[in-house]
Amino acid sequence: MEGDRGSYSTSSRNWQRGSYRTRSGRRRKRRRKSWGERIADWTRALIAFLFSNVGIVCLVVGYTIAGAFLFTHIEGRNNLDVVGDVIRLRNLTAAILWELTSRENVFSERIWKAKVKAILEDYQKKLVTAIKNGYDGSEENKRWSFAGAFLYSLTVITTIGYGNICPKTKWGKVVTIVYAIIGLPLFLLYLSNIGDILAKSFKWAYARCCLCKCRRRPLETTPRGSVQDANDVRRNHWQFVDVDGREIDSFDMDKEISTEGQVAGSSESGSDDDSSSYDPQRVTVPLTLCVAIMIGYISGGAILFSEWEDWNMLDGSYFCFVSLSTIGFGDIVPGDKIYSAQGFDLSFIFCSMYLMLGMALIAMCFNLMQEEVIAKVRSVVRTVKYIFRCDR
């Protein structure tokens, strides 16, 4: 026994080291994967992670950060060039006016005014052109800082599109088109997955905390194919009780049965056995609760934005609603605290997180409201069918 055990441990060690001995005593090495196979395995693992729930969130955030660096490089440099051109134009115009005033005959007021008017009109035209190219009157590049470019990238893929900043260069417009083509499906996938996760989690919490506790009644032994009344069928399913132990009539929540009390054939009996257990995901959330969640989230954002941006509650609520509904008029947008941030400012991080989480929360509420409406419609249809059968 000890010899066998020792030989087994020796062979296992040889196998772990990548080789093992055959009966003939030859040492054979385990086949190692080539670099192509390793790269293919790593690629499959990376794709599987990226399209998981955590991976999609990381992918959206990483894609937005990449867009921020890209637009900062393209539009930020152009904005600095425009600002430098405006400063040089202003200094040159002031020098020309001073030279004209010192050189021109002061007694010829009409000629002096005509020349000054021409100089100022030329300055005005060039300044309007600079404003169209992105000049906003500031001496620094505030609009296309990292924080401003990140918020711009986020508004592109979320289809909010405030319009307070937009690309002015040809490359910026081309990159925006390509960036949106890739980013829109990615963000829709994020909304679908995260909204579905939030909906399932909220339904579980609602069924666990807000409805009641549940326990299983012992099953009644009834021969297959026999006729049961409605009370017998009810005893074969989950029975809900509240916190005090009182029974709650929740039979319609478990499954849809015939109100006449007849048991269907073998094909339907299999599905009845599968649906006899209580599933929290089959619980529907009331519409009023979904609306309350959306109103509460908008109100909370309005309070925080009104503190940061010096808005009143109406403007804050209006901004949050317009943003989360992706209307994005752009008449009220986050101000200088976000666009002047040169690093990871708190307001810049909060605004981005508020928009991403809020849109997923809105998608969750719409999903729950859709299920509730469908359940109500089915309940009305069953009631109408039952009344029609009773009349016949």
Side-chain angles (χ1 to χ4, degrees):
M1 293 295 291
E2 293 180 356
D4 296 340
R5 190 176 302 172
S7 62
Y8 174 75
S9 60
T10 304
S11 62
S12 63
R13 285 196 300 268
N14 290 334
W15 177 262
Q16 292 175 357
R17 292 173 184 174
S19 62
Y20 64 95
R21 294 182 181 273
T22 60
R23 293 183 178 180
S24 60
R26 294 181 180 179
R27 195 172 187 176
R28 296 183 59 184
K29 293 185 178 181
R30 185 175 57 182
R31 178 181 176 272
R32 299 185 63 180
K33 294 183 179 180
S34 62
W35 281 106
E37 293 176 347
R38 292 182 182 181
I39 293 175
D41 293 339
W42 293 340
T43 304
R44 285 193 293 267
L46 178 62
I47 293 175
F49 171 75
L50 290 179
F51 284 93
S52 63
N53 296 323
V54 179
I56 289 176
V57 176
C58 297
L59 193 60
V60 170
V61 175
Y63 188 74
T64 310
I65 293 175
F69 282 111
L70 184 61
F71 287 111
T72 301
H73 176 72
I74 297 175
E75 294 295 331
R77 184 174 57 184
N78 175 73
N79 190 265
L80 288 176
D81 295 339
V82 172
V83 171
D85 293 340
V86 171
I87 294 175
R88 286 191 294 270
L89 176 63
R90 183 178 59 193
N91 296 333
L92 179 62
T93 303
I96 292 175
L97 289 175
W98 175 255
E99 183 181 0
L100 176 65
T101 304
S102 60
R103 186 184 59 188
E104 191 68 30
N105 188 359
V106 295
F107 297 102
S108 180
E109 182 178 358
R110 183 178 59 82
I111 299 176
W112 181 84
K113 286 185 177 181
K115 292 183 178 181
V116 169
K117 181 180 179 181
I119 294 173
L120 293 179
E121 287 180 352
D122 182 67
Y123 173 76
Q124 183 180 6
K125 291 179 180 178
K126 293 180 179 179
L127 187 61
V128 170
T129 303
I131 292 174
K132 292 181 179 179
N133 291 330
Y135 179 70
D136 57 354
S138 62
E139 301 295 333
E140 300 177 358
N141 183 21
K142 293 183 177 180
R143 292 291 180 180
W144 290 104
S145 62
F146 177 81
F150 185 90
L151 191 60
Y152 168 77
S153 303
L154 189 62
T155 56
V156 169
I157 63 176
T158 56
T159 68
I160 296 176
Y162 292 126
N164 57 329
I165 58 173
C166 54
K168 301 297 182 180
T169 62
K170 294 180 180 180
W171 279 110
K173 296 176 181 179
V174 172
V175 170
T176 299
I177 295 174
V178 178
Y179 186 81
I181 291 175
I182 301 175
L184 288 177
L186 180 62
F187 193 78
L188 290 178
L189 184 62
Y190 159 81
L191 287 182
S192 177
N193 286 15
I194 304 303
D196 186 61
I197 292 175
L198 292 177
K200 290 181 179 179
S201 302
F202 185 78
K203 287 168 70 175
W204 181 87
Y206 175 77
R208 186 77 174 177
C209 302
C210 299
L211 285 182
C212 54
K213 298 180 180 179
C214 60
R215 57 182 172 85
R216 184 68 179 271
R217 278 181 174 243
L219 291 176
E220 299 287 342
T221 57
T222 305
R224 182 177 296 274
S226 61
V227 179
Q228 295 177 327
D229 58 1
N231 294 327
D232 292 335
V233 178
R234 288 173 183 271
R235 284 195 293 269
N236 289 336
H237 293 275
W238 288 85
Q239 176 62 49
F240 287 92
V241 295
D242 57 10
V243 180
D244 298 330
R246 293 188 297 269
E247 295 183 358
I248 299 176
D249 186 10
S250 59
F251 179 66
D252 290 337
M253 187 185 304
D254 285 339
K255 53 176 288 189
E256 179 180 358
I257 64 167
S258 175
T259 56
E260 295 180 354
Q262 294 183 353
V263 178
S266 59
S267 60
E268 296 180 356
S269 62
S271 62
D272 292 343
D273 295 336
D274 295 337
S275 63
S276 61
S277 60
Y278 168 65
D279 185 9
Q281 298 304 322
R282 302 183 68 177
V283 175
T284 57
V285 181
L287 297 175
T288 54
L289 184 57
C290 296
V291 175
I293 292 173
M294 291 189 291
I295 293 176
Y297 192 80
I298 292 175
S299 301
I303 294 174
L304 294 178
F305 275 110
S306 61
E307 291 293 332
W308 272 339
E309 299 293 338
D310 296 329
W311 296 340
N312 53 32
M313 280 295 297
L314 179 60
D315 290 340
S317 302
Y318 173 76
F319 166 76
C320 294
F321 176 78
V322 169
S323 299
L324 296 179
S325 60
T326 68
I327 297 175
F329 288 126
D331 51 347
I332 299 179
V333 294
D336 295 333
K337 289 186 178 180
I338 290 181
Y339 291 106
S340 61
Q342 299 298 328
F344 278 25
D345 187 71
L346 183 61
S347 58
F348 143 68
I349 297 176
F350 167 75
C351 183
S352 303
M353 292 180 59
Y354 180 83
L355 292 177
M356 293 184 63
L357 181 60
M359 296 185 70
L361 192 67
I362 295 297
M364 178 201 76
C365 292
F366 284 161
N367 189 8
L368 296 177
M369 293 170 69
Q370 180 182 4
E371 292 181 357
E372 174 69 9
V373 170
I374 292 175
K376 292 294 184 183
V377 171
R378 288 179 178 176
S379 178
V380 171
V381 171
R382 288 197 301 267
T383 303
V384 172
K385 288 182 179 180
Y386 175 70
I387 295 174
F388 180 74
R389 290 175 183 176
C390 290
D391 292 339
R392 294 181 60 183

